[in-house]
Amino acid sequence: MRWPRIIFIACIALIFGAFLHYTLPQRDIVRIVSVESRLTEVGGLNGFFFAQRDSGTAQATAMRDLRLISTIRPDGRPLVYRNEDTGVLWPPYFKFDSEDLQAEASNLTSTEATPQWVAITHYGWRSNLISIYPNAISIRPVAGPDVALLPWLNIIILIGLVILAFVAWRIWERFEDRVIDPIRDRMAVQWAKIKDRAAGRG
């Protein structure tokens, strides 16, 4: 019974870890090379990874104008972000300023000869296979590509989750000691009595 329990806990931890990795804010140091809007069909496998439509846009079609921010990382690799409102739904970033952010990104566009490095805060993943992009939340200029940014918010959230998990574990332990173990013991005693009676009749 030990290995199934370990495998189950590992699967739950893996799913929860992937959820946190997708949802929690991350920051990249990049150089913006272009911004664009592209009419894109959103639905099927990749539809789950896109935010809700912007307020005031048509809801009856799978096609939408997808605002994209193309960037280059310090090591020369490209990375493309989408720029969508999140509204008041999940994840709870309450982002309503996608148009303003697009203008800000356009203003910070730079060339390799005269780079302007920026920190883009985002959530989500980039996958070429299913055409999904991380969603940019905010952009701010930084001094250079080697700037170190400490993820204070993530640290606070993770510490809070660890404390919550510890409290839940302690509550479960007390519940198990006070409720489950006595019931288990009574059932074991009843089962032993039944076996003894069956053996006596035999």
Side-chain angles (χ1 to χ4, degrees):
M1 291 295 293
R2 182 182 177 185
W3 280 109
R5 185 176 181 180
I6 292 175
I7 292 172
F8 175 76
I9 293 173
C11 288
I12 294 297
L14 184 63
I15 293 171
F16 188 63
F19 171 78
L20 288 178
H21 188 267
Y22 181 87
T23 306
L24 289 179
Q26 303 173 44
R27 286 184 292 189
D28 299 329
I29 305 297
V30 295
R31 178 173 59 85
I32 300 174
V33 295
S34 69
V35 296
E36 63 175 315
S37 291
R38 181 188 306 166
L39 191 62
T40 306
E41 183 175 358
V42 175
L45 183 60
N46 70 350
F48 176 78
F49 295 94
F50 284 84
Q52 64 178 2
R53 299 177 188 276
D54 295 344
S55 178
T57 58
Q59 302 292 319
T61 175
M63 303 297 291
R64 70 168 80 172
D65 280 323
L66 190 63
R67 289 180 290 270
L68 300 176
I69 303 172
S70 300
T71 69
I72 298 294
R73 288 175 276 200
D75 60 6
R77 293 181 299 160
L79 182 57
V80 180
Y81 302 86
R82 76 184 194 273
N83 176 20
E84 291 186 297
D85 288 347
T86 61
V88 296
L89 299 179
W90 192 265
Y93 288 101
F94 304 101
K95 180 188 173 190
F96 298 95
D97 61 347
S98 295
E99 291 289 353
D100 295 341
L101 190 66
Q102 197 77 352
E104 188 177 351
S106 180
N107 185 54
L108 291 170
T109 300
S110 64
T111 64
E112 187 175 3
T114 56
Q116 169 63 71
W117 297 99
V118 299
I120 295 186
T121 301
H122 67 90
Y123 72 90
W125 300 323
R126 174 72 175 110
S127 171
N128 293 321
L129 182 63
I130 57 176
S131 296
I132 60 173
Y133 310 87
N135 191 10
I137 301 300
S138 66
I139 302 172
R140 66 180 179 89
V142 293
D146 299 323
V147 171
L149 302 173
L150 196 62
W152 287 109
L153 180 59
N154 287 2
I155 291 172
I156 293 170
I157 291 173
L158 291 175
I159 289 174
L161 288 173
V162 169
I163 293 172
L164 186 64
F166 177 76
V167 171
W169 174 65
R170 290 295 298 163
I171 291 173
W172 173 257
E173 270 199 333
R174 291 184 179 182
F175 176 77
E176 193 172 24
D177 290 341
R178 295 178 181 179
V179 178
I180 296 179
D181 285 347
I183 292 174
R184 186 185 298 138
D185 292 342
R186 285 197 297 269
M187 291 179 63
V189 170
Q190 292 295 330
W191 178 247
K193 289 180 178 179
I194 291 172
K195 287 176 65 178
D196 290 342
R197 290 171 185 169
R201 285 195 296 268

